[in-house]
Amino acid sequence: MSGSLCLGVMSRLLTRCRMLPVLATYGHHFSRYVPRRFYPGGPGRRKRLVLSRLFQPQNPRYNQVLSLEDKSDNLTCKSQQLMLQMGLIHPASPGSYHLLPYTVRAMEKLVQVIDQEMQAIGGQKVNMPSLSSAELWRATKRWDLMDKELLRLRDRHGKEYCLGPTHEEAVTALVASQKTLSYKQFPFLLYQVTRKFRDEPRPRFGLLRGREFYMKDMYTFDSSPEAARQTYSLVCDAYCSLFSRLGLHFVKVQADVGSIGGTMSHEFQLPVDIGEDRLAICPSCNFSANMETLDLSQTNCPACQGPLTKTKGIEVGHTFYLGTKYSSVFNAQFTNVQGQLSLAEMGCYGLGVTRILAAAIEVLSTEDCIRWPGLLAPYQVCLIPPKKGSKEEAATEIMESLYDHITEVVPQLCGELLLDDRTHLTIGNRLKDANKLGYPFVIIAGKGALEDPSRFEVWCQNTGKVVFLTKEEVTKLLNSVQVV
């Protein structure tokens, strides 16, 4: 290297070193820099979330969004039609959907509620690979048993895999790999919320029956059959608590173990006419069952001999007592109280996350308007200011002030308020959209907002009531709103 080149390099290094104190001086400014986005608001205010900047495509004509789906008559149902029309989902391929922002927000809230219920009973969250080795499935003989239901593939080395529809093999092999487990560590309640894949021969009804979906699957490991049954009851009770919190009417029914296996199984069903499962319920006692577990000609309850009521339902949860079906294959052992090796007693428990969302819309909504379980509404409050150029336009600032006031006084609703800033549209058109999307509360600034004191028109969607409230009364009403 020449002398002049060395001097040049040294000069540049010295210049950079001299700049370090200057950069340090301004470093705190850079660290606090947040790019200005689409949330207008005054200095020092929490940014307002405005509707015009959300990616929420609406499709008023249902047929316009069915180009990627089978258009057979039995495809459509209320939840599918509403979710497509209102931009909650968009078809990617048969049985596979883009989940758009409103749906993702609702799903994340549902997962939070699920986490709360599962962790309250000792659940520990894990995340297992979607790719599952064919060797594991062949060990339990389910590679052939499930046949075409598995989405299969080979890697570049010719090794076979499936995209997991469920994870009994994977989780049991994981636990079996731990060679020093003690009965003192049990029970293990391991669960995840992940994408699942099933090669449905006839995907339909939107998110109710697809090839790709989200599921919560829990796998439990206990030291004895008695302890495993206690855990089974514990998880079933947590499922009951979950659906009760969501305000969904459900029935727990006896079910077939199917390809999962085991000796006991129950389904959690939401009764609805489009349901694919046929249910038998006894009004005189607590008996209820999926008809596939009964003789189809049976009309009387096997428990009390009373008449059975037949109905249809959407399965949103399923529980199985597995015993040692899988632990014996993979040798999932622990040291028992006598110091001997024993096989773990297992159970598995599924919740259809995306299916719960669609099923809730199916049972709660009208033909034209989505209604959500209160805890799952993507946004709790939609605020509608006056139309631009209208006589009430002066109330726009009053509405923005109300937005800021709510976020300050009702902190649990921060991030739950949406300002419909599409002021080129009439209040009536925006209210119609708000009704369809199912915000639990819609607040309108009309003529009453210009009075002294200002009064706002508040639509309580889940009760159907419309009331006129002052700013203080609005915040008092919203203080009672429960969020996850």
Side-chain angles (χ1 to χ4, degrees):
M1 185 181 291
S2 67
S4 60
L5 181 58
C6 288
L7 287 172
V9 171
M10 292 296 293
S11 176
R12 286 193 293 273
L13 287 173
L14 286 171
T15 300
R16 290 180 183 179
C17 290
R18 292 189 191 105
M19 286 296 294
L20 288 176
V22 178
L23 290 173
T25 302
Y26 289 98
H28 68 285
H29 293 296
F30 296 137
S31 65
R32 292 188 298 176
Y33 171 71
V34 177
R36 288 185 63 83
R37 301 181 82 80
F38 49 82
Y39 305 100
R45 295 280 188 184
R46 185 180 296 274
K47 305 307 185 210
R48 303 186 194 109
L49 180 60
V50 295
L51 180 58
S52 65
R53 296 301 185 91
L54 295 186
F55 183 70
Q56 200 266 314
Q58 296 188 19
N59 303 283
R61 294 188 59 193
Y62 176 56
N63 289 335
Q64 291 177 351
V65 293
L66 288 180
S67 60
L68 292 173
E69 298 195 25
D70 178 5
K71 294 185 181 180
S72 58
D73 291 339
N74 63 3
L75 178 77
T76 60
C77 64
K78 180 168 57 179
S79 59
Q80 181 184 21
Q81 185 164 344
L82 287 170
M83 295 184 85
L84 286 168
Q85 284 180 342
M86 301 313 298
L88 303 184
I89 59 175
H90 191 83
S93 61
S96 183
Y97 289 86
H98 300 286
L99 305 183
L100 300 180
Y102 274 63
T103 302
V104 172
R105 279 183 65 90
M107 187 173 73
E108 288 175 345
K109 291 180 178 184
L110 175 55
V111 171
Q112 279 186 270
V113 181
I114 291 172
D115 284 339
Q116 290 170 1
E117 294 295 339
M118 295 302 99
Q119 292 171 22
I121 59 172
Q124 301 180 63
K125 202 167 188 178
V126 298
N127 196 309
M128 291 177 277
S130 293
L131 276 178
S132 190
S133 169
E135 296 174 4
L136 295 177
W137 288 76
R138 287 195 173 103
T140 59
K141 299 183 170 50
R142 291 209 298 171
W143 185 257
D144 296 322
L145 179 64
M146 296 190 71
D147 195 27
K148 294 180 180 179
E149 188 174 338
L150 294 179
L151 279 165
R152 307 168 192 239
L153 63 154
R154 292 177 183 267
D155 67 11
R156 66 180 65 194
H157 306 294
K159 189 171 181 179
E160 291 182 287
Y161 296 87
C162 69
L163 292 174
T166 184
H167 278 71
E168 285 81 11
E169 284 84 358
V171 74
T172 312
L174 170 65
V175 172
S177 69
Q178 309 305 304
K179 301 299 184 182
T180 58
L181 293 178
S182 165
Y183 73 96
K184 295 179 182 179
Q185 297 172 265
F186 283 176
F188 286 144
L189 289 78
L190 306 178
Y191 80 99
Q192 60 178 353
V193 179
T194 59
R195 288 181 184 267
K196 295 288 192 292
F197 304 85
R198 287 178 186 164
D199 195 357
E200 290 283 352
R202 197 162 154 243
R204 52 188 167 169
F205 298 142
L207 300 186
L208 291 178
R209 182 166 291 281
R211 288 180 172 152
E212 184 175 359
F213 51 94
Y214 278 89
M215 187 168 82
K216 187 285 304 180
D217 44 326
M218 173 178 273
Y219 306 91
T220 62
F221 298 80
D222 275 281
S223 58
S224 69
E226 296 76 22
R229 289 190 178 91
Q230 289 178 1
T231 297
Y232 188 94
S233 296
L234 195 66
V235 180
C236 285
D237 289 345
Y239 278 19
C240 294
S241 174
L242 170 72
F243 293 119
S244 296
R245 287 179 65 186
L246 297 179
L248 297 174
H249 170 63
F250 69 95
V251 289
K252 176 186 172 185
V253 302
Q254 295 179 15
D256 188 83
V257 297
S259 61
I260 300 291
T263 58
M264 180 170 59
S265 175
H266 290 89
E267 292 169 348
F268 290 77
Q269 297 269 356
L270 300 189
V272 64
D273 287 342
I274 69 146
E276 296 183 289
D277 290 306
R278 292 181 299 167
L279 313 177
I281 300 171
C282 179
S284 303
C285 68
N286 293 326
F287 178 85
S288 56
N290 192 309
M291 286 293 293
E292 65 186 5
T293 67
L294 303 174
D295 186 332
L296 292 179
S297 62
Q298 189 166 350
T299 58
N300 291 332
C301 173
C304 71
Q305 300 306 310
L308 288 170
T309 300
K310 308 290 179 64
T311 186
K312 292 182 178 180
I314 299 172
E315 178 195 331
V316 288
H318 207 152
T319 61
F320 300 83
Y321 174 60
L322 301 174
T324 60
K325 173 180 170 64
Y326 294 89
S327 58
S328 61
V329 173
F330 295 102
N331 208 28
Q333 295 180 317
F334 67 97
T335 302
N336 63 23
V337 68
Q338 288 84 27
Q340 300 173 337
L341 290 177
S342 294
L343 291 172
E345 294 280 334
M346 292 178 57
C348 69
Y349 312 85
L351 284 173
V353 176
T354 40
R355 184 179 284 189
I356 289 172
L357 286 180
I361 289 173
E362 189 70 38
V363 300
L364 297 177
S365 302
T366 68
E367 293 297 326
D368 301 318
C369 299
I370 291 172
R371 291 295 178 264
W372 302 90
L375 288 177
L376 304 188
Y379 297 94
Q380 292 290 334
V381 184
C382 178
L383 296 94
I384 301 178
K387 182 182 179 182
K388 186 176 182 179
S390 68
K391 295 179 181 179
E392 298 81 25
E393 185 177 6
T396 298
E397 290 186 11
I398 298 173
M399 175 60 85
E400 292 174 349
S401 175
L402 176 66
Y403 184 112
D404 297 336
H405 179 72
I406 294 171
T407 59
E408 292 171 4
V409 179
V410 193
Q412 73 265 28
L413 291 184
C414 289
E416 294 290 335
L417 276 68
L418 188 63
L419 184 67
D420 190 342
D421 63 327
R422 301 173 301 161
T423 53
H424 61 285
L425 299 176
T426 65
I427 285 179
N429 283 332
R430 284 176 286 162
L431 176 60
K432 185 177 180 180
D433 286 346
N435 282 334
K436 286 186 174 183
L437 280 164
Y439 307 101
F441 298 92
V442 179
I443 303 175
I444 298 171
K447 294 179 181 178
L450 297 174
E451 298 174 358
D452 187 16
S454 296
R455 300 185 73 82
F456 301 91
E457 185 178 341
V458 181
W459 290 62
C460 306
Q461 303 284 31
N462 292 334
T463 63
K465 293 182 178 179
V466 181
V467 292
F468 293 83
L469 305 176
T470 65
K471 179 173 71 173
E472 290 73 20
E473 291 169 336
V474 167
T475 53
K476 182 178 180 181
L477 172 68
L478 296 181
N479 255 315
S480 64
V481 175
Q482 292 185 352
V483 294
V484 183

